[in-house]
């Protein structure tokens, strides 16, 4: 990155600290990034094919102050880390699907492997669900953040990112190997998911999230997932007002994204919800707490 680009990038994430390639700086950059840049998949529902190269993502995230998906934002973050002198590699991970009790078939989640201080670290600043913000060692050591425990468990050549909440049970997040995966692999993933002939759910899914001081807030169409202090709570978003309230949290500081998300929600969800009988309020009090 040129000096001007680096300055603009750091201003975008609100980072004003030192830039030496140390663990302390890496942790600070991760936190600055997730608090400033929301995760969002708004391009798919709007029929837009996103650019995933660092230059294209820079224009979207930094210049136009948008958010992005993992293969956009993590790729951009990898470019920043490389510029600062970190040894970083992009990997492909397979997210865990709780409803199917299995992992995805394709490595459609980009994560970063950083080699630092004679150790290997998993770094991820762009994921829809709750993950560790700071680097997690590949040696199985537990990292605790905001009431949650995180670790990377190795099984042969595969590594599984896991989290544990108040239940005391480890739950999988995603699984990966150390085989590098770059632009060609993730370009194929974009083509796969945005090709109308493949009947991908991405064009029909509003998905966005943001790290909060207590955990994370994720909106997937009409499902709102809130994680805090070791617990996860889900609720239905069935009114435009509830949708805007959720988007206000996810897209704090990005009003243009909140408006865009609200339009997509209305098209994908709101127009399909039948009107409530007089005196009833859809979605009110519809909460379920899940201990993870």
């Amino acid at each position: 990155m040129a000096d001007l680009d680096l300055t603009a990038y750091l201003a975008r994430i609100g980072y004003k600290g030192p830039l030496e390639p140390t663990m302390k700086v890496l942790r600070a950059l991760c936190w600055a990034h997730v608090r400033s840049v929301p995760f969002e998949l708004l391009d798919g529902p709007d029929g837009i094919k996103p650019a995933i190269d660092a230059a294209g993502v820079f224009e979207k995230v930094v210049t136009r102050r948008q958010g992005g998906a993992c293969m956009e934002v993590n790729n951009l973050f990898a470019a920043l880390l490389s510029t600062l002198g970190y040894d970083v590699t992009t990997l492909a991970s397979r997210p865990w699907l709780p409803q199917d009790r299995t992992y995805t078939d394709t490595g459609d989640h980009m994560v970063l492997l950083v080699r630092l201080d004679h150790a290997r670290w998993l770094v991820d600043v762009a994921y829809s669900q709750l993950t560790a913000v700071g680097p997690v060692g590949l040696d199985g050591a537990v990292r605790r953040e905001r009431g949650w425990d995180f670790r990377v468990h190795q099984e042969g050549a595969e590594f599984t990112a896991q989290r544990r909440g108040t239940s005391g049970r480890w739950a999988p997040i995603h699984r990966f190997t150390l085989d590098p995966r770059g632009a060609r692999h993730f370009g194929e993933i974009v083509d796969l998911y945005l090709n109308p002939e493949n009947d991908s759910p991405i064009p029909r899914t509003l998905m966005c999230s943001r790290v909060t001081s207590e955990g994370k807030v994720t909106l997937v169409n009409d499902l709102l997932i809130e994680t805090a202090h070791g617990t996860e709570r889900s609720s239905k978003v069935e009114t435009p007002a509830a949708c805007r309230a959720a988007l206000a949290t996810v897209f704090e500081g990005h009003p243009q994204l909140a408006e865009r998300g609200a339009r997509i929600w209305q098209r994908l969800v709101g127009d399909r919800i039948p009107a409530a009988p007089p005196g009833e309020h859809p979605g009110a009090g519809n909460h379920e707490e899940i201990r993870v």
Side-chain angles (χ1 to χ4, degrees):
M1 291 183 182
D3 290 342
L4 180 61
D5 291 343
L6 179 59
T7 300
Y9 192 162
L10 297 176
R12 171 69 175 94
I13 64 175
Y15 182 78
K16 300 179 181 179
L19 297 175
E20 296 81 8
T22 65
M23 178 56 70
K24 182 178 180 180
V25 170
L26 178 57
R27 289 191 178 116
L29 287 170
C30 288
W31 278 98
H33 216 287
V34 299
R35 295 304 302 272
S36 301
V37 180
F39 175 94
E40 50 96 347
L41 282 172
L42 303 184
D43 283 349
D46 274 346
I48 300 172
K49 181 179 179 179
I52 61 174
D53 63 287
V57 181
F58 183 95
E59 193 277 333
K60 176 183 178 181
V61 172
V62 178
T63 305
R64 294 193 284 121
R65 288 188 58 81
Q66 307 287 305
C70 63
M71 60 191 69
E72 298 172 278
V73 176
N74 275 334
N75 198 30
L76 181 62
F77 193 54
L80 171 64
L81 296 182
S82 294
T83 299
L84 298 180
Y86 288 94
D87 181 351
V88 56
T89 304
T90 56
L91 307 176
S93 188
R94 297 183 294 124
W96 173 254
L97 303 175
Q99 67 276 19
D100 298 326
R101 307 298 298 173
T102 189
Y103 296 92
T104 59
D105 294 331
T106 56
D108 51 5
H109 176 48
M110 177 186 285
V111 296
L112 307 182
L113 174 68
V114 176
R115 293 178 172 86
L116 180 65
D117 296 340
H118 307 290
R120 300 173 299 182
W121 305 88
L122 172 67
V123 173
D124 187 357
V125 296
Y127 194 55
S128 60
Q129 305 301 315
L130 180 72
T131 56
V133 174
V136 181
L138 267 61
D139 58 358
V142 176
R143 175 174 178 80
R144 189 164 182 81
E145 290 181 2
R146 299 161 296 165
W148 296 87
D149 291 330
F150 299 93
R151 72 177 182 183
V152 175
H153 178 65
Q154 183 175 1
E155 301 173 67
E158 291 193 312
F159 296 81
T160 303
Q162 301 174 325
R163 72 181 189 187
R164 179 174 63 184
T166 56
S167 71
R169 175 176 52 84
W170 287 105
I173 304 174
H174 56 78
R175 177 172 289 179
F176 60 95
T177 70
L178 301 185
D179 297 327
R181 290 290 184 270
R184 180 177 179 179
H185 172 83
F186 288 102
E188 292 173 351
I189 294 296
V190 171
D191 291 340
L192 175 68
Y193 283 169
L194 297 185
N195 186 339
E197 297 181 358
N198 293 330
D199 194 31
S200 167
I202 296 299
R204 304 188 303 274
T205 304
L206 168 65
M207 184 182 296
C208 54
S209 67
R210 189 74 167 275
V211 169
T212 67
S213 59
E214 297 181 341
K216 199 163 197 173
V217 175
T218 300
L219 179 64
V220 183
N221 283 344
D222 65 343
L223 180 64
L224 180 65
I225 305 170
E226 300 169 280
T227 56
H229 306 302
T231 63
E232 180 176 281
R233 184 179 70 165
S234 64
S235 60
K236 288 290 186 178
V237 176
E238 298 178 321
T239 67
C243 171
R244 289 185 178 277
L247 292 174
T249 298
V250 172
F251 292 131
E252 180 182 358
H254 302 75
Q256 77 282 13
L257 292 179
E259 286 299 320
R260 186 181 174 193
R263 290 194 297 271
I264 294 173
W265 181 89
Q266 187 61 45
R267 184 173 73 244
L268 297 179
V269 179
D271 290 345
R272 302 177 183 179
I273 296 177
E280 291 190 14
H281 302 280
N286 184 14
H287 296 278
E288 177 184 359
E289 185 170 284
I290 305 171
R291 297 187 179 274
V292 178

